[in-house]
Amino acid sequence: MQTNTTLQEQRKAPLKRNDPPAVQAILILLTLLFFAIFIFMPLGLVFAEGLRKGVAVYLEAIREPFALSAVKLTLITAAIVVPLNAVFGVTAAWAISKFSFKGKTLLVSLLDLPFAVSPVIAGLIFVLLLGTRTGFGSWLGDHGIKIIFSTPGIVIATLFVTFPFVARELIPLMEAQGREEEEAAITLGARGWQVFSRITLPNIRWGLMYGMILCMARSIGEFGAVSVVSGHIRGMTNTIPLHVEILYSEYNYTASFAVSTILVFLALVTIAIKSLMEKNVHNHQPTQH
Amino acid sequence: MKHFHRHTSRLTAGIALFSSLLGTAAQAAPAANTLLNVSYDPTRELYQAENAAFAGYWKQKTGQTVTINQSHGGSGKQARAVIDGLEADVVTLALAYDIDAIADSKLLATNWQQRLPQNSTPYTSTIVFVVRKGNPKGIRNWDDLVKPGIGVITPNPKTSGGARWNYLAAWGYKQKQTGSAEQAKAFVKAIFKNVPVLDTGARGSTLTFTQRGLGDVLIAWENEAHLILNEFGADKFEIVAPPVSILAEPPVAIVDRNVDKHGTRKLAEAYLNFLYTPQAQEIIAKNSYRPRSAAAAKKYASQFPNIKLFTVKDLFGTWRQAQKTHFSDGGTFDQIYTP
């Protein structure tokens, strides 16, 4: 607050000064109220419910083998999905922002499909595509390759629902940066990979990281699409969100909230990484933006 | 620049760590001493107990350690998943038609119901009502469900096995009383007028009734009704047994194609036969399902109220016929239900 006003004083006279203090107070109060109702209260409730029967019960719920396997599966899924989508996102953003080709507009529109389509439909698409009712699916089954109702299916469904994040983050960034720097590098004799690793990647690194973080958050929390392809085998194909739902429908509320706190922790970690990065952006690139 | 390289090296380290994690996960392929039991919604607690008992029995008999994995959901939805490739070794579903549907996709023999005793149903159950404490709306019989202003909670018969038993129980009650299928249809239609929401499975409906506080009466499996009283306390809900209801026969079967693929036929057979043993029948009764064995039935008789039970065969023929008439596209449910 303090630094903000001093900064603003150095520039032009801030508009905000004209606001009567009452308006300021009301706006701040409303914001705080909104935060209290929609963020702090539910967060507090999750922890309160999880700890209602004591720390011992809480620890038991999150150390129980089914819970651990759900955590493991969720992290494995994120660990596969995030790097793959990072590579895909950079490729797609590169192709779309630096080259012009036929059908580009269509491609850009299609990129949003996973956001537009309901996650349940996304899951069903893969069940229909890779389930045993299609020739391809039954061929896979006959050769002992399990995709749907096992880890690969969950990874594929998560890949699908999260693939626009990185590309969406990078396309405007790369378009804004244009291709002058790369072209200069090429005239100076740099090869393709050199151009990418020395010019392009450093230019987009924060956008890339930010896209990856969004992608990570969504892949950890995805419920709908994963629920359809999971098969709900306890200890094998349940991710954390699915496990929370199962515990809840088994009247195991305390455990269900306890496991939810793992999701909350992961979300908080994600947010922490994000704000750390934003700080970095301000420290290291003061002239950009 | 330097900064970024430091980040990337951390990133690669992270990826390496995760891929080693992945390596350990890939080894956990199904072995010959692992079974997957794909079951319907309310049997979670039952099979948790049965699986532990069977594991002990099998260990004692053969020295092998056996793992039984569980998957639960609406009966129809679970059958669908098995047809789509969920590799169940055994299915323990809410009604015969759902296993017939799996047999239709050539995953198991069509005569599956003759392969185990008592039409492959190791236990039975019936359909009762759960009401709020004190029964404020005075619900005693099926006729009370059509009264104006009564909220009735039942799941969707398209996806839930329990809901199909509920539906046929109500229909059968009226048809037996009046001798007319037309009147039965009008009666069921009147009940569904009082249904505010259709969940996909029995457990979903239970949560709607108990947690969300919707409705005055929940039409439920007898076992689920007892579970509600255990979980939420007899001071909040009570069970009302109607004078007439349906004999629900939830069957079990081995999925031939999958056990042959996994090499688990022997184990799967032993598992299902175990359900008929005195030990397993006790567990069945303790979980408020009606046991088949006379000894367990006698021992736990006080737990099960005397309800006049009719069977699907009495009124509706085979489950295939019942499914076709009532629950397939264009069946009576589609005709009477308008949300």
Side-chain angles (χ1 to χ4, degrees):
Chain A
M1 211 62 183
Q2 197 86 51
T3 48
N4 257 346
T5 38
T6 46
L7 268 176
Q8 278 166 338
E9 270 162 0
Q10 283 168 2
R11 294 181 200 154
K12 275 170 112 187
L15 271 171
K16 212 169 124 195
R17 259 202 192 156
N18 299 338
D19 290 336
V23 173
Q24 274 191 41
I26 287 171
L27 285 180
I28 291 172
L29 202 72
L30 276 178
T31 314
L32 284 180
L33 199 71
F34 185 86
F35 265 77
I37 293 173
F38 286 95
I39 313 263
F40 300 132
M41 231 168 61
L43 268 185
L45 204 71
V46 168
F47 281 94
E49 280 288 323
L51 288 164
R52 205 161 52 128
K53 291 186 185 162
V55 179
V57 176
Y58 173 85
L59 286 178
E60 198 184 311
I62 59 173
R63 276 197 301 224
E64 182 248 353
F66 287 149
L68 285 182
S69 89
V71 172
K72 191 169 152 189
L73 179 61
T74 306
L75 291 179
I76 285 173
T77 306
I80 298 171
V81 165
V82 174
L84 280 183
N85 270 338
V87 171
F88 167 80
V90 172
T91 317
W94 182 289
I96 285 165
S97 61
K98 312 254 165 171
F99 308 130
S100 43
F101 52 91
K102 252 193 172 172
K104 193 166 115 171
T105 343
L106 182 73
L107 201 67
V108 176
S109 326
L110 282 182
L111 195 60
D112 283 335
L113 192 74
F115 286 168
V117 117
S118 150
V120 177
I121 306 297
L124 277 177
I125 292 169
F126 291 108
V127 171
L128 291 178
L129 204 66
L130 303 166
T132 45
R133 270 181 298 170
T134 61
F136 181 57
S138 57
W139 181 86
L140 286 173
D142 292 341
H143 289 74
I145 303 166
K146 276 209 270 184
I147 295 186
I148 296 299
F149 307 122
S150 82
T151 313
I154 292 170
V155 171
I156 290 172
T158 313
L159 262 179
F160 179 81
V161 292
T162 59
F163 85 67
F165 281 110
V166 173
R168 270 280 151 236
E169 202 60 39
L170 291 184
I171 290 171
L173 192 66
M174 286 170 106
E175 268 174 349
Q177 283 166 352
R179 30 186 184 189
E180 288 85 1
E181 286 188 41
E182 276 96 348
E183 276 164 2
I186 291 169
T187 30
L188 291 172
R191 298 226 195 99
W193 176 249
Q194 280 178 312
V195 176
F196 178 74
S197 64
R198 300 243 179 126
I199 311 284
T200 315
L201 202 53
N203 274 342
I204 62 166
R205 64 190 177 200
W206 298 118
L208 176 61
M209 282 286 189
Y210 190 61
M212 282 167 76
I213 276 178
L214 289 178
C215 176
M216 182 169 92
R218 177 69 186 268
S219 58
I220 288 170
E222 176 57 27
F223 180 86
V226 169
S227 172
V228 177
V229 299
S230 144
H232 305 275
I233 308 170
R234 328 187 75 195
M236 295 178 82
T237 61
N238 278 325
T239 58
I240 304 176
L242 299 184
H243 187 61
V244 168
E245 198 225 7
I246 284 185
L247 290 172
Y248 184 74
S249 40
E250 286 178 358
Y251 308 114
N252 212 340
Y253 305 111
T254 312
S256 117
F257 281 103
V259 175
S260 300
T261 61
I262 302 177
L263 278 179
V264 174
F265 271 127
L266 288 173
L268 291 178
V269 167
T270 313
I271 293 172
I273 297 176
K274 192 189 131 222
S275 40
L276 258 176
M277 268 171 39
E278 274 166 356
K279 233 173 160 181
N280 264 327
V281 175
H282 290 300
N283 291 345
H284 291 268
Q285 304 176 305
T287 48
Q288 285 194 12
H289 301 295
Chain B
M1 195 68 186
K2 227 168 87 193
H3 193 83
F4 181 66
H5 279 301
R6 217 172 62 216
H7 271 268
T8 42
S9 66
R10 256 187 237 161
L11 195 72
T12 26
I15 291 169
L17 181 80
F18 277 122
S19 33
S20 65
L21 258 177
L22 196 67
T24 54
Q27 287 162 7
N33 56 355
T34 303
L35 289 181
L36 173 58
N37 177 0
V38 171
S39 194
Y40 60 111
D41 231 358
T43 54
R44 303 156 193 264
E45 293 77 14
L46 170 69
Y47 281 110
Q48 219 168 338
E50 293 286 12
N51 292 350
F54 176 72
Y57 158 83
W58 194 249
K59 179 104 194 167
Q60 202 177 32
K61 197 178 160 196
T62 66
Q64 284 176 341
T65 306
V66 55
T67 313
I68 293 148
N69 293 311
Q70 285 295 138
S71 167
H72 294 275
S75 187
K77 191 180 121 201
Q78 294 290 80
R80 178 87 270 155
V82 172
I83 292 168
D84 284 335
L86 180 58
E87 291 191 358
D89 298 286
V90 300
V91 283
T92 54
L93 296 179
L95 46 90
Y97 176 75
D98 286 331
I99 302 185
D100 282 335
I102 302 172
D104 287 345
S105 3
K106 311 256 179 300
L107 289 170
L108 75 159
T110 41
N111 71 341
W112 61 271
Q113 204 154 11
Q114 272 90 62
R115 296 196 296 197
L116 285 166
Q118 272 133 341
N119 277 330
S120 294
T121 50
Y123 61 88
T124 65
S125 189
T126 187
I127 301 302
V128 297
F129 307 144
V130 181
V131 296
R132 305 199 184 279
K133 185 69 194 176
N135 198 357
K137 300 275 167 112
I139 289 152
R140 296 266 159 248
N141 201 346
W142 292 97
D143 289 309
D144 297 322
L145 303 187
V146 300
K147 287 183 182 159
I150 299 283
V152 180
I153 304 295
T154 178
N156 187 345
K158 291 276 183 186
T159 51
S160 157
R164 275 175 273 176
W165 289 112
N166 295 352
Y167 186 98
L168 294 183
W171 184 293
Y173 161 76
K174 206 58 182 178
Q175 187 170 332
K176 273 181 105 64
Q177 189 189 51
T178 63
S180 149
E182 272 314 302
Q183 286 196 36
K185 187 175 171 184
F187 180 70
V188 175
K189 181 172 182 167
I191 291 182
F192 273 88
K193 267 223 170 82
N194 282 342
V195 176
V197 53
L198 289 177
D199 289 288
T200 55
R203 193 50 64 85
S205 281
T206 302
L207 291 172
T208 298
F209 183 71
T210 56
Q211 291 291 100
R212 290 172 60 199
L214 277 178
D216 303 299
V217 52
L218 171 74
I219 314 178
W221 292 100
E222 186 177 45
N223 49 281
E224 185 79 357
H226 282 279
L227 191 68
I228 291 170
L229 260 59
N230 288 343
E231 288 295 333
F232 295 96
D235 56 329
K236 291 207 184 87
F237 301 101
E238 57 187 74
I239 298 174
V240 173
V244 179
S245 192
I246 198 164
L247 179 75
E249 298 170 291
V252 301
I254 287 169
V255 185
D256 292 319
R257 175 100 72 86
N258 293 340
V259 292
D260 289 342
K261 194 163 152 189
H262 303 156
T264 48
R265 180 176 284 278
K266 266 213 162 114
L267 183 65
E269 276 169 358
Y271 177 65
L272 292 187
N273 280 313
F274 174 78
L275 297 175
Y276 292 88
T277 62
Q279 188 191 359
Q281 290 284 312
E282 283 258 333
I283 296 172
I284 280 167
K286 276 185 193 151
N287 281 277
S288 309
Y289 297 84
R290 299 185 171 212
R292 284 290 197 187
S293 95
K298 205 173 157 198
K299 188 172 167 190
Y300 292 91
S302 64
Q303 204 177 301
F304 302 106
N306 207 356
I307 304 174
K308 256 184 102 177
L309 299 174
F310 59 86
T311 64
V312 168
K313 220 173 173 182
D314 290 344
L315 289 175
F316 307 100
T318 64
W319 249 110
R320 259 182 212 276
Q321 288 162 337
Q323 177 78 21
K324 191 157 178 282
T325 314
H326 297 286
F327 308 116
S328 295
D329 280 338
T332 64
F333 176 68
D334 281 344
Q335 294 161 28
I336 61 139
Y337 186 68
T338 38

